[in-house]
Amino acid sequence: MSEFRITGKAKLAGVIGHPVTHSLSPLLHNYWLARHGIDGAYVPLSVAPDAFVTAVKGLQAAGFRGANVTIPHKQAAFAIADEVDPMARIAGSVNTLVFREDGTIHGSSTDGFGYVANLESDGIAVDALASRGPALLLGAGGAARSIATSLLEKGFHVILSNRTAGRADGLVKELDAAWRQSFPKADSPQLSTIAWDGWEQQLGDMALLVNTTSLGMQGGPAPEWAPDLSKASGHLVVSDIVYVPQETPLLRAAREQGLTASGGLGMLLHQARPGFRAWFGAETEVDEATVAYIRTALNKR
Ligand code: ATR
């Protein structure tokens, strides 16, 4: 660790959520700030939904450089941005706000980027994987939306499966329409759904499996959840965005079967990089020291 610096000219950012107590982002950004010796600070900001716009305007007035936005504000952040990047437009959600000097707000969605960057840093050649077969994505919530968008960008055929089938159908329609609108000249996105009770049987065709549901999460609806992976080909990559516990039953089952498995903590770390660069002006790295620092903090909770 290098030096902790904060002066009257400190660069300021934070994370807006409700609640925000669970967020690891303050620890991560302040760790990187100290490591780079940057004069800055990153704080947790607990803001109720009806105060979101007031809070953002207040942060701008106070000279903040921007903020991360987490549950339940990601759609409100999309609405407040004057300009959003294409992936955020398709996902319909924003998790990173940058306050520009001219007073306008730029919004981006970095969750999908974080997911793909984490696969790559786990040694998985994502472009090659996309040409090997479809990605089967479990869930249809906010995380599914961002990850599906990034997987489409990487050229995957994305197949959604969700307990409530209507949510998966709705998400496919929305993503398809938003993709065509953003990229009218590009090929149509390859998006489809399969039944929740039928996906285990289809695993032999898949190149990537990603769990974006809360199944397997400590304290969640089914912490012991581990599906039957016996139909998977030996090339299937299994990933989980749940990171408490760090090795979910799904990941353990995949490893025990000799499959490549990728955990959720790295997505959280990588999604933070674009914001850090925009607000504090430095590139960061998700190296062993960063992962160890955040792991230790998680284990103390
Ligand atoms: P997020 O925005 O974090 O993705 P969410 O919108 O609450 O969270 O979505 C949670 C996901 O976990 C949903 O896909 C949900 O399925 P439903 O749409 O059917 O609710 C899924 N999920 C939660 N509990 C589940 C359970 N016991 N079995 C199967 N899926 C479950």
Side-chain angles (χ1 to χ4, degrees), residues 139-143 162-164 167 196 212-215 221:
N162 194 51
R163 173 181 60 177
T164 310
R167 277 188 93 193
W196 180 250
T212 75
T213 74
S214 40
L215 295 169

